Amino acid sequence: MSGFLIDSNVLLDIATNDPHWSDWSATQLAACANHGALIINPIIYTEVSVGFQRIEEVEIFLDSTMFRRDPLPYDAGFLAGKAFLAYRRRGGTKTSVLPDFYIGAHAAVSKLTLLTRDTARYKTTYPTLTLIAPNMKRGLS
Protein backbone atom coordinates (compact mmCIF):
# COMPACT_ATOMS: atom_id res chain seq x y z
CA MET A 1 0.00 0.00 0.00
CA SER A 2 1.46 3.33 -0.99
CA GLY A 3 -0.70 5.47 1.24
CA PHE A 4 -4.09 6.75 2.25
CA LEU A 5 -6.04 9.49 0.53
CA ILE A 6 -7.98 11.24 3.30
CA ASP A 7 -11.42 12.46 2.25
CA SER A 8 -12.46 15.93 3.36
CA ASN A 9 -15.41 14.63 5.38
CA VAL A 10 -13.03 12.80 7.74
CA LEU A 11 -10.84 15.86 8.14
CA LEU A 12 -13.82 18.14 8.72
CA ASP A 13 -15.14 15.74 11.38
CA ILE A 14 -11.93 16.29 13.30
CA ALA A 15 -11.66 20.03 12.60
CA THR A 16 -15.23 20.71 13.74
CA ASN A 17 -15.18 18.14 16.56
CA ASP A 18 -18.31 16.57 15.08
CA PRO A 19 -20.20 14.98 18.00
CA HIS A 20 -21.07 11.84 16.07
CA TRP A 21 -18.03 11.26 13.85
CA SER A 22 -14.94 12.96 15.30
CA ASP A 23 -13.86 9.99 17.46
CA TRP A 24 -14.16 7.48 14.61
CA SER A 25 -12.43 9.81 12.14
CA ALA A 26 -9.57 10.65 14.53
CA THR A 27 -9.03 6.98 15.41
CA GLN A 28 -8.94 5.89 11.77
CA LEU A 29 -6.69 8.78 10.76
CA ALA A 30 -4.20 7.86 13.49
CA ALA A 31 -4.32 4.20 12.44
CA CYS A 32 -3.69 5.15 8.80
CA ALA A 33 -0.74 7.31 9.89
CA ASN A 34 0.76 4.21 11.54
CA HIS A 35 0.49 2.23 8.30
CA GLY A 36 1.49 4.67 5.56
CA ALA A 37 1.47 8.18 4.16
CA LEU A 38 -1.52 10.47 4.72
CA ILE A 39 -2.31 12.17 1.43
CA ILE A 40 -4.49 15.08 0.37
CA ASN A 41 -4.95 16.79 -2.98
CA PRO A 42 -6.05 20.30 -4.01
CA ILE A 43 -9.74 19.35 -4.03
CA ILE A 44 -9.57 17.97 -0.49
CA TYR A 45 -7.62 21.03 0.63
CA THR A 46 -10.28 23.28 -0.91
CA GLU A 47 -13.18 21.43 0.69
CA VAL A 48 -11.51 21.48 4.12
CA SER A 49 -10.65 25.17 3.83
CA VAL A 50 -14.31 26.18 4.05
CA GLY A 51 -14.21 25.24 7.73
CA PHE A 52 -11.61 27.91 8.49
CA GLN A 53 -11.52 31.70 8.41
CA ARG A 54 -7.85 32.15 7.48
CA ILE A 55 -5.40 30.26 5.30
CA GLU A 56 -2.94 30.14 8.20
CA GLU A 57 -5.47 28.06 10.17
CA VAL A 58 -5.86 25.62 7.27
CA GLU A 59 -2.09 25.35 6.92
CA ILE A 60 -1.74 24.51 10.61
CA PHE A 61 -4.53 21.92 10.47
CA LEU A 62 -3.29 20.34 7.22
CA ASP A 63 0.34 20.47 8.31
CA SER A 64 2.54 19.55 5.37
CA THR A 65 4.79 17.47 7.63
CA MET A 66 1.78 15.24 8.40
CA PHE A 67 -0.09 15.30 5.09
CA ARG A 68 1.61 14.67 1.78
CA ARG A 69 0.17 17.02 -0.82
CA ASP A 70 -0.19 15.23 -4.13
CA PRO A 71 -1.22 16.89 -7.39
CA LEU A 72 -4.28 15.68 -9.23
CA PRO A 73 -3.30 13.14 -11.90
CA TYR A 74 -4.62 13.95 -15.37
CA ASP A 75 -5.67 10.33 -15.93
CA ALA A 76 -7.78 10.64 -12.77
CA GLY A 77 -9.42 13.70 -14.33
CA PHE A 78 -10.37 11.65 -17.37
CA LEU A 79 -11.71 8.81 -15.21
CA ALA A 80 -13.66 11.25 -13.02
CA GLY A 81 -15.21 12.86 -16.08
CA LYS A 82 -16.36 9.49 -17.43
CA ALA A 83 -17.72 8.49 -14.00
CA PHE A 84 -19.62 11.77 -13.72
CA LEU A 85 -21.06 11.32 -17.23
CA ALA A 86 -22.21 7.79 -16.36
CA TYR A 87 -23.76 9.11 -13.14
CA ARG A 88 -25.72 11.76 -15.05
CA ARG A 89 -26.85 9.22 -17.66
CA ARG A 90 -28.14 6.98 -14.83
CA GLY A 91 -30.34 9.88 -13.75
CA GLY A 92 -28.04 11.48 -11.19
CA THR A 93 -29.22 14.99 -10.52
CA LYS A 94 -26.69 16.45 -8.11
CA THR A 95 -24.39 18.83 -9.92
CA SER A 96 -21.82 19.25 -7.14
CA VAL A 97 -20.57 15.66 -7.06
CA LEU A 98 -17.74 16.01 -9.57
CA PRO A 99 -15.17 16.67 -6.79
CA ASP A 100 -16.14 13.36 -5.17
CA PHE A 101 -15.69 11.52 -8.46
CA TYR A 102 -12.26 13.15 -8.82
CA ILE A 103 -11.22 12.17 -5.28
CA GLY A 104 -12.26 8.57 -5.95
CA ALA A 105 -10.52 8.54 -9.31
CA HIS A 106 -7.33 9.94 -7.77
CA ALA A 107 -7.32 7.13 -5.20
CA ALA A 108 -8.10 4.53 -7.86
CA VAL A 109 -5.45 5.49 -10.41
CA SER A 110 -2.82 6.06 -7.72
CA LYS A 111 -3.69 2.79 -5.98
CA LEU A 112 -4.35 4.56 -2.67
CA THR A 113 -6.72 3.43 0.05
CA LEU A 114 -9.45 6.01 0.59
CA LEU A 115 -10.43 6.93 4.15
CA THR A 116 -13.97 8.31 3.92
CA ARG A 117 -17.43 8.28 5.46
CA ASP A 118 -19.18 8.52 2.06
CA THR A 119 -18.98 5.05 0.58
CA ALA A 120 -22.04 4.56 -1.63
CA ARG A 121 -20.81 6.51 -4.65
CA TYR A 122 -17.22 5.28 -4.32
CA LYS A 123 -18.22 1.60 -4.07
CA THR A 124 -20.53 1.87 -7.07
CA THR A 125 -18.25 3.92 -9.29
CA TYR A 126 -14.86 2.44 -8.37
CA PRO A 127 -15.54 -1.16 -7.32
CA THR A 128 -11.84 -2.07 -7.06
CA LEU A 129 -11.04 0.90 -4.81
CA THR A 130 -10.01 -0.06 -1.27
CA LEU A 131 -12.04 1.91 1.26
CA ILE A 132 -11.87 2.42 4.98
CA ALA A 133 -15.27 3.61 6.17
CA PRO A 134 -17.64 3.22 9.11
CA ASN A 135 -19.96 0.81 7.32
CA MET A 136 -17.15 -1.39 6.01
CA LYS A 137 -15.94 -4.46 7.82
CA ARG A 138 -12.35 -3.40 7.22
CA GLY A 139 -10.64 -0.84 9.36
CA LEU A 140 -7.21 -0.25 10.76
CA SER A 141 -6.10 -0.32 14.35
Side-chain angles (χ1 to χ4, degrees), residues 26-108:
T27 298
Q28 291 303 314
L29 185 67
C32 289
N34 287 330
H35 289 86
L38 303 178
I39 303 162
I40 61 170
N41 64 33
I43 292 173
I44 295 166
Y45 183 97
T46 301
E47 290 181 333
V48 170
S49 75
V50 301
F52 295 89
Q53 293 297 314
R54 298 175 33 240
I55 192 169
E56 294 83 2
E57 295 168 343
V58 180
E59 288 295 316
I60 290 168
F61 182 73
L62 295 175
D63 183 347
S64 62
T65 63
M66 182 172 177
F67 295 97
R68 191 174 87 199
R69 297 176 180 202
D70 283 6
L72 292 164
Y74 280 89
D75 51 348
F78 182 82
L79 182 59
K82 295 303 179 196
F84 181 70
L85 181 61
Y87 163 79
R88 294 303 300 261
R89 287 183 175 158
R90 287 191 311 271
T93 57
K94 291 185 180 178
T95 57
S96 62
V97 297
L98 188 54
D100 291 339
F101 285 114
Y102 212 148
I103 290 168
H106 180 184

Side-chain angles (χ1 to χ4, degrees), residues 4-14 17-32 113-119 131-141:
F4 301 89
L5 190 63
I6 311 302
D7 202 354
S8 53
N9 55 39
V10 170
L11 295 167
L12 286 168
D13 289 344
I14 297 166
N17 199 24
D18 182 275
H20 184 73
W21 290 110
S22 63
D23 286 345
W24 181 88
S25 292
T27 298
Q28 291 303 314
L29 185 67
C32 289
T113 296
L114 180 61
L115 175 60
T116 186
R117 282 192 296 98
D118 183 19
T119 59
L131 300 172
I132 298 174
N135 57 349
M136 307 292 289
K137 292 182 175 143
R138 181 173 186 257
L140 295 175
S141 43

